[in-house]
Amino acid sequence: MSKLWGGRFEGATDALVEALGESVSFDARLAPWDIQGSLAHAAMLGSCGIISEADAATIQSGLKEVLADIEAGKLAWDPALEDVHTNIEVALVAKVGDAGKRLHTGRSRNDQIATDVRLWMREQIDSIVTLLARLQEALLDCAESHQDLILPGYTHLQPAQPVLLAHHLLAYVEMFHRDAERFRELRRRVNVLPLGSAALAGTPYPIDREQVARELGFDGITRNSMDAVADRDHLIEFVSDGALVMMHLSRISEELILWSCPQFGFIEIGDAFTTGSSIMPQKKNPDVAELVRGKTGRVYGDLNALLTLMKGVPMTYNRDLQEDKEPLFDASDTVQLCLEVYARMLPAISFNREAMAEATLAGFMEATDLADYLVTRGVPFREAHGIVGQVVRHCLATENTLPRLPLQEYQRFSPHFGDDIHSFLQAETLVARRNHPGGTAPVQVHQALHNARERLAAYRG
Ligand code: ARG
């Protein structure tokens, strides 16, 4: 095999250098976007008179044939041709001859790869935003169909105050909504055309970058040719936004894992999303949640790889930058797979009302409200806090709970306890008292569900 771009060389490339330098094994997936960019570039070269209109047309029909071959699995990707760009260019020339050799006029693989990745990323962002909307919908469905369920809300993983399950799930809706916002904001920065920057300094040909930008649906063109070929900020942002999605998925995973263990028993995850043990017949393991939690570390690794890759690279393009693709693709694939599996798994979760109610009774979560109760009857808060502490200790000693403790026993600690104490201590009452926007009272949660639905619909429309 003769040396690629070998005009100025006498010797061949060492076989190991080919193995080190080839990227086609992972960048071949960019082919549709590479060809999309080349079609627009060829059209512009033709209409600006840089190549003949006839050559431009020949190139375009040849590129479409190459794309059809790729889609049919008929293109034999050759690692000796390094990357997706050269493989496609060589295939084009094989089809259309000399016209194909004019395609690379006024262009470099440096602005070409920058363009390919922006085109690819734009679509991935749209797909991730859609998946985030689907996940939010699944959470809202789940919240809506369990609107009266109450469970302990935790701080320090200790029972703190009862909350509606719907309120808890809506917390995740907020997180995934912010994640979607971040990706939408990133899309504006991604959607500019680097092509025309050529290797680094621009090109002497009379190109029309605006035409190419319009053709490719970009909102504008990059302003500095050196930045355009050297910049990988948007890859880091993309993976960073993805890492935040994974962090949120990992937190909900952790909760589902806890909730499904018998000590909590709040949920059961459907058979389609759990696995058995090869040795312990009784097991039903929440592997999906565990894998998502595990894959979070993988995406953090991708982010770290990109940040580290870029920190010492001088202007402008350096071959190091080829190492950006595997972490980028890995993060994108992982985030999308995890989002999709989660939207499917959530409807397969059943909630155990009794276990949640039992846990809600058990944690003395009424204690703060009980102190407030005494305060409204004139007892100073510090004193009320002390009285309730004694009541809790008494309950612990007698294996009782605050809602079940008889009134006479309450009155041993303070004469201010009245016969409304038991209805006051119902979890439903405690929850309903947090009645302000952002609180867990059913009317507020109902409104929050409605607002979240409208917000999603507005983004979709
Ligand atoms: N495969 C290369 C990459 O991904 C494309 C750009 C190559 N440019 C170069 N000057 N060798 O970075």
Side-chain angles (χ1 to χ4, degrees), residues 23 27 82-83 85 108-110 113 232 317-319 321-322 324-325:
S23 60
D27 69 13
E82 278 188 11
D83 52 28
H85 321 297
S108 154
R109 282 184 295 163
N110 298 351
I113 186 61
R232 296 294 183 271
Y317 179 85
N318 295 264
R319 193 62 180 278
L321 299 197
Q322 179 168 294
D324 64 358
K325 270 158 227 70

Side-chain angles (χ1 to χ4, degrees), residues 397-437:
T398 57
E399 289 187 10
N400 213 335
T401 67
L402 292 172
R404 285 174 183 152
L405 192 69
L407 178 61
Q408 313 83 275
E409 293 194 36
Y410 268 112
Q411 288 178 335
R412 279 169 41 197
F413 297 92
S414 167
H416 295 283
F417 288 117
D419 57 9
D420 56 347
I421 191 68
H422 292 105
S423 65
F424 179 85
L425 290 181
Q426 290 296 306
E428 288 74 14
T429 314
L430 303 185
V431 164
R433 292 180 66 211
R434 271 77 187 165
N435 188 5
H436 51 75

Side-chain angles (χ1 to χ4, degrees), residues 232 236 239 300-314 320-321 323-324 327:
R232 296 294 183 271
I236 294 173
V239 177
Y300 290 3
D302 294 328
L303 176 59
N304 211 2
L306 285 175
L307 284 165
T308 310
L309 172 68
M310 295 309 295
K311 71 183 274 293
V313 180
D320 321 37
L321 299 197
E323 288 291 310
D324 64 358

